[in-house]
Amino acid sequence: MAAVSGSVRLQRCVVSPAGRHSASLIFLHGSGDSGQGLKNWIKQVLNQDLAFQHIKIIYPTAPARFKISNDCPEHLESIDVMCQVLTDLINDEVKSGIKKNRILIGGFSMGGCMAMHVAYRNHQDVAGVFALSSFLNKASAVYQALQKRDGALPELFQCHGTADELVLHSWGQETNSALRALGVSTKFHSFPGLFHELSTGELEKLRAWVLAKLPGEMERPKE
């Protein structure tokens, strides 16, 4: 596994903070997309880049992934290689001076699933996790890992369109309930009529949650 991950350097597309870099956000794309593709899609939805004064946004490009279904077994081998590569990315941020509790990880669709694997199985000390139009399948390794956990867990922020025909809204809800039952503090926002896509309202809610989790210098209480 180490040999494989050692040779995999993810291509990444970055939106730098406008001011001093004090936190990082890793945003993972869905199947068949790329980091650049996700960044462009978000820019199209918002009419501007998702950007912050103090938070660097990293959009890595992951290799192709597997079919989406609620009850088919997870392809753990490829998930674990990806977890290792994302661990390297998190470690790069830490080496550059960003604390683990100032890093958020999340994504769209399969990217959100990947983020839940990385955070809840390997990095329970990140600031939070977000999953947009995502789910974990019923026997997910994430659930198994959480049964053995001790200590606090990162909060999960989930959004899902009620009209999603690829990843059903009910799959997202089931994932949320299962994680809550295992001790994860969760937020779940339903978007009526939204398909398997991003919306302005969803990204605005995400932006507000990101700023609540990773406040800038100005918003922090004064010593």
Side-chain angles (χ1 to χ4, degrees):
M1 189 69 72
V4 176
S5 69
S7 62
V8 179
R9 287 296 290 170
L10 289 187
Q11 276 186 297
R12 57 189 82 164
C13 171
V14 172
V15 178
S16 297
R20 195 177 79 79
H21 176 207
S22 69
S24 295
L25 170 69
I26 299 168
F27 205 144
L28 306 173
H29 62 79
S31 288
D33 201 356
S34 66
Q36 184 69 51
L38 176 59
K39 175 183 176 285
N40 293 348
W41 187 17
I42 288 170
K43 188 171 187 172
Q44 201 180 345
V45 173
L46 289 177
N47 287 320
Q48 59 184 19
D49 276 316
L50 180 63
F52 297 91
Q53 190 64 28
H54 60 290
I55 305 169
K56 172 165 92 173
I57 306 180
I58 305 162
Y59 297 99
T61 293
R65 312 230 188 76
F66 298 86
K67 90 181 189 68
I68 291 178
S69 160
N70 193 19
D71 48 13
C72 84
E74 287 174 325
H75 200 285
L76 265 186
E77 199 180 330
S78 61
I79 288 175
D80 287 346
V81 168
M82 198 59 207
C83 280
Q84 184 53 55
V85 175
L86 290 166
T87 290
D88 295 344
L89 182 55
I90 290 169
N91 290 342
D92 284 349
E93 291 307 294
V94 172
K95 281 185 202 127
S96 78
I98 303 300
K99 293 192 176 77
K100 276 284 270 305
N101 65 2
R102 297 282 292 162
I103 297 174
L104 283 176
I105 184 163
F108 175 76
S109 191
M110 193 66 195
C113 165
M114 214 41 252
M116 290 187 274
H117 274 271
V118 172
Y120 293 122
R121 290 174 60 209
N122 305 111
H123 297 280
Q124 296 182 354
D125 49 352
V126 292
V129 185
F130 63 94
L132 314 177
S133 311
S134 305
F135 77 105
L136 291 170
N137 72 15
K138 288 178 174 156
S140 176
V142 174
Y143 301 144
Q144 293 161 36
L146 289 177
Q147 281 160 355
K148 299 191 278 280
R149 64 147 193 125
D150 52 335
L153 293 167
E155 181 179 86
L156 173 67
F157 174 92
Q158 245 182 306
C159 293
H160 217 114
T162 61
D164 193 328
E165 71 299 341
L166 186 63
V167 174
L168 302 186
H169 181 261
S170 60
W171 297 358
Q173 283 179 311
E174 282 163 22
T175 297
N176 193 278
S177 304
L179 289 170
R180 193 177 313 136
L182 287 164
V184 177
S185 158
T186 66
K187 290 180 161 55
F188 188 90
H189 300 284
S190 296
F191 288 82
L194 187 69
F195 293 97
H196 195 65
E197 58 189 339
L198 295 170
S199 76
T200 313
E202 177 183 41
L203 290 172
E204 290 301 345
K205 262 195 176 19
L206 175 64
R207 185 202 296 275
W209 178 79
V210 166
L211 286 170
K213 288 278 149 204
L214 302 175
E217 301 296 321
M218 305 304 290
E219 294 91 7
R220 284 194 198 163
K222 294 274 183 285
E223 291 299 322

